Amino acid sequence: MATMAARIIHISIARDWRDVYAFMADHEKMPLWAAGLSTGLTRDGDEWIAPGPLGNARVRFAPDNDFGVVDHLVTLENGLKVHNALRVVPNGDGAEVMFTLLRQPDMNDEQFAADAAAVEKDLATLKSIMESER
């Protein structure tokens, strides 16, 4: 497979990065801020099931770590695997959250832009939640 186009989408959050990571790494809270998982996640062994418009997706998260890595692999019912690189790092007294959006095969410009807009909205929701809980 050829290298896919990528876009790094990030947001600064005025909250200690460890607090942001702890919230993000609680997979049951992801539907609160990640619209693609708005119907919720159900644990199934080492994976989670995420119902969606394309059927049930299986999600495998990076194990808890001290580096702010919240990567996850989403496997759609059709077998397509989507690697989602998601990080939170210290930024002064706050945090920087970064998502690497990869343009999937057969995705046109409009779909890629719509995916980027959805990620930006999710990160803005995360920021709102984290900054209002102070």
Side-chain angles (χ1 to χ4, degrees), residues 16-85:
D16 185 273
W17 77 274
R18 291 167 289 236
D19 294 339
V20 176
Y21 171 74
F23 184 85
M24 293 172 63
D26 182 345
H27 312 311
E28 292 178 347
K29 291 183 180 173
M30 282 193 94
L32 298 175
W33 60 274
L37 301 173
S38 62
T39 58
L41 292 169
T42 304
R43 186 183 266 295
D44 183 25
D46 291 337
E47 297 181 329
W48 295 75
I49 305 298
L54 301 176
N56 288 334
R58 299 191 73 78
V59 184
R60 181 176 292 267
F61 291 95
D64 289 341
N65 60 82
D66 294 328
F67 303 105
V69 176
V70 195
D71 288 7
H72 48 289
L73 173 66
V74 177
T75 304
L76 302 176
E77 280 190 349
N78 67 6
L80 177 67
K81 294 182 184 298
V82 180
H83 295 268
N84 295 292

Side-chain angles (χ1 to χ4, degrees), residues 106-127:
D106 302 323
M107 182 178 275
N108 65 35
D109 291 343
E110 292 78 24
Q111 291 167 319
F112 190 51
D115 268 6
V119 171
E120 288 170 349
K121 184 176 180 186
D122 287 350
L123 295 184
T125 299
L126 176 65
K127 176 183 176 78

